[in-house]
Amino acid sequence: MENNYKMIAKTFFGFEEILAKELQMLGAQEVEQGVRMVSFKGDKGFMYKANLALRSALKILKPIYAFRANNEKALYKGVSGVNWSKYINANQTFVIDATVHSEYFNHSEFVSQKCKDAIVDQFRERTGQRPSIDKVHPDLRINVHIDKDQVSIALDTSGNSLNQRGYRTATNIAPINEVLAAGILLLSGWEGQGDFLDPMCGSGTFLAEAAMIACNIPANINRKEFAFEKWNDWDNDLFDQIVNSLMKKVKEFHYTIKGYDKAPSAVQKAKDNIRNANLDDYVTIEEKNFFDTEKTSQGKLHMVFNPPYDERLDIHMEEFYKNIGDTLKKNYPGTNAWFITANLDALKFVGLKPSRKIKLFNAGLEARLVKYEMYEGSKRTKFQAVSGDQDQ
């Protein structure tokens, strides 16, 4: 069996804990949380599995070298210290993604260029040939991260961000990122143990992610390609084994997952995306205005949604968010309602006190994920009943 090696799973701010839990449940070793990342150890098979199954990860990186550099000469020398022929040959293509937080290096483009020169020069000196740059579809994607004078070089095992699941071909205005949607669902405690509703479903991202969580379907099973499939050590048989192993753990779901949207075009796009994800059997979508609906299911309802805010649509915020609160209060007893908004001022118009408030970022905007618990009857009645039970 191949030895375990260190990997890094990148994620959104606020998702570190749920990503660490996902990794532990998958079987990762030495899981450690950082900021917007979680490090762990596993073998090649686990690297395949992490890319396929993790819901709250944006990328999986495989670090291969680290050194110190406080000028361009030291950076060039450090990158030259890697034997690049282990990972790529002169006929292949590569690209470098650089992230820089350093007083010594000001521009990520400059860092990328200097690292590219070091790799190309190494091949020229050894073979007389050089690999080419391909920014769109490279054979190898290299990640260079500089923090002060600490330089870390990693191979990007994923390629395109893991939010690109492969099922969403149609979108509306400002669709929610799939990884953000999955992480919100996990933060909300959704495990498929009841009925689910997204009352403003847009292109259906929450619905698809909720169904995959409920049925334990790997998050990226519909994805067309991962970067590691172009690597020299790509093992197709091992990958197929991992896929089959994960698919054997898929389970049935015995509740309902529903989506509403008042726009006919959104409803059609959501239906298309759900069909692309092969989730038609689990999800139903209807053309309805949430403010004209009421709870139709028995038992506790789990609601998660992404209402519009100023950056996306021209709506009257105060009235809109007041209507959210009124609809929840009057028509949705026995519901745990979660939603994310980047309009922090609009929250005070909901007219309900959130039981939880979590800081997240949505498309670079600071946002809040809020939870409203709507009780059967009034909250006071519920507490009186509990108190009465304790007195007896």
Side-chain angles (χ1 to χ4, degrees):
M1 179 183 288
E2 184 179 351
N3 291 333
N4 287 353
Y5 47 78
K6 181 179 178 179
M7 287 174 270
I8 292 171
K10 306 285 285 184
T11 192
F12 289 118
F13 174 87
F15 285 0
E16 297 89 352
E17 188 174 341
I18 56 172
L19 176 54
K21 185 178 177 182
E22 276 198 276
L23 280 161
Q24 287 162 346
M25 291 178 70
L26 269 186
Q29 305 295 312
E30 298 183 34
V31 177
E32 292 184 18
Q33 294 179 42
V35 178
R36 294 185 174 87
M37 56 79 76
V38 179
S39 66
F40 61 98
K41 283 190 174 180
D43 60 10
K44 186 198 295 186
F46 192 84
M47 184 257 285
Y48 294 168
K49 182 159 64 167
N51 275 281
L52 279 161
L54 289 175
R55 304 184 193 282
S56 57
L58 291 162
K59 273 187 184 296
I60 310 296
L61 303 177
K62 178 184 177 182
I64 58 169
Y65 196 54
F67 58 94
R68 289 188 171 191
N70 56 17
N71 57 57
E72 61 179 278
K73 187 175 180 181
L75 177 65
Y76 180 97
K77 183 179 179 182
V79 175
S80 301
V82 178
N83 179 8
W84 289 103
S85 62
K86 284 175 59 179
Y87 308 107
I88 192 174
N89 64 51
N91 299 317
Q92 291 181 299
T93 60
F94 72 99
V95 71
I96 294 171
D97 299 319
T99 307
V100 180
H101 305 286
S102 172
E103 62 190 270
Y104 306 111
F105 303 96
N106 298 321
H107 301 291
S108 58
E109 281 296 322
F110 172 80
V111 168
S112 295
Q113 185 66 37
K114 189 55 63 175
C115 294
K116 183 215 78 172
D117 291 345
I119 295 170
V120 166
D121 290 350
Q122 184 183 100
F123 275 95
R124 274 214 194 94
E125 290 169 11
R126 293 180 181 180
T127 68
Q129 297 177 297
R130 53 153 288 181
S132 302
I133 296 294
D134 184 342
K135 294 183 178 180
V136 179
H137 204 230
D139 294 308
L140 188 70
R141 188 172 284 274
I142 302 162
N143 183 281
V144 177
H145 184 272
I146 303 181
D147 183 20
K148 298 175 183 173
D149 67 344
Q150 300 287 328
V151 183
S152 174
I153 301 177
L155 305 184
D156 184 340
T157 77
S158 306
N160 290 335
S161 175
L162 291 175
N163 72 283
Q164 296 182 29
R165 308 283 206 220
Y167 64 78
R168 197 167 76 179
T169 57
T171 61
N172 297 301
I173 300 169
I176 194 163
N177 179 293
E178 294 90 332
V179 168
L180 182 60
I184 286 171
L185 289 165
L186 294 172
L187 280 175
S188 78
W190 171 248
E191 295 179 341
Q193 302 300 313
D195 294 320
F196 180 91
L197 173 66
D198 179 350
M200 302 179 187
C201 70
S203 54
T205 308
F206 272 128
L207 300 174
E209 298 295 328
M212 288 195 288
I213 291 171
C215 300
N216 202 34
I217 297 169
N220 288 301
I221 198 67
N222 296 299
R223 189 178 164 100
K224 301 295 184 288
E225 185 180 57
F226 298 95
F228 55 70
E229 293 179 54
K230 290 188 162 193
W231 289 8
N232 297 335
D233 67 348
W234 161 239
D235 190 333
N236 194 75
D237 291 339
L238 176 59
F239 181 76
D240 287 345
Q241 286 176 28
I242 298 296
V243 170
N244 292 335
S245 171
L246 288 169
M247 292 307 291
K248 284 178 183 175
K249 295 174 182 173
V250 171
K251 60 189 181 186
E252 275 303 311
F253 174 67
H254 302 291
Y255 298 93
T256 63
I257 296 176
K258 289 184 180 179
Y260 299 152
D261 204 285
K262 68 177 186 178
S265 59
V267 169
Q268 189 55 55
K269 288 172 183 175
K271 286 181 176 179
D272 290 344
N273 291 332
I274 293 301
R275 193 179 309 111
N276 292 339
N278 301 307
L279 297 169
D280 312 58
D281 292 344
Y282 306 106
V283 179
T284 57
I285 302 163
E286 300 175 62
E287 185 184 328
K288 287 185 177 181
N289 184 336
F290 171 51
F291 302 145
D292 299 328
T293 67
E294 59 184 25
K295 186 183 174 193
T296 58
S297 58
Q298 299 296 315
K300 186 69 86 174
L301 176 65
H302 198 100
M303 182 189 292
V304 182
F305 60 110
N306 177 34
Y309 44 86
D310 295 315
E311 284 74 9
R312 303 194 299 175
L313 294 174
D314 183 20
I315 60 175
H316 191 279
M317 282 296 140
E318 181 176 340
E319 181 182 355
F320 187 85
Y321 278 78
K322 180 181 182 299
N323 285 339
I324 290 177
D326 289 346
T327 305
L328 289 174
K329 190 162 44 182
K330 295 173 184 174
N331 299 347
Y332 281 89
T335 298
N336 283 335
W338 296 76
F339 69 80
I340 183 171
T341 182
N343 191 325
L344 307 185
D345 291 334
L347 280 175
K348 55 177 165 278
F349 300 116
V350 174
L352 301 169
K353 185 175 176 60
S355 58
R356 287 196 69 188
K357 197 182 281 191
I358 301 170
K359 180 180 175 181
L360 297 175
F361 288 88
N362 186 3
L365 296 171
E366 184 176 326
R368 292 294 182 274
L369 174 64
V370 290
K371 178 187 182 183
Y372 297 99
E373 296 183 51
M374 312 312 299
Y375 297 101
E376 297 278 3
S378 73
K379 190 170 182 181
R380 179 176 295 173
T381 304
K382 174 185 171 69
F383 287 145
Q384 283 175 342
V386 172
S387 176
D389 290 342
Q390 290 174 340
D391 291 340
Q392 289 174 359

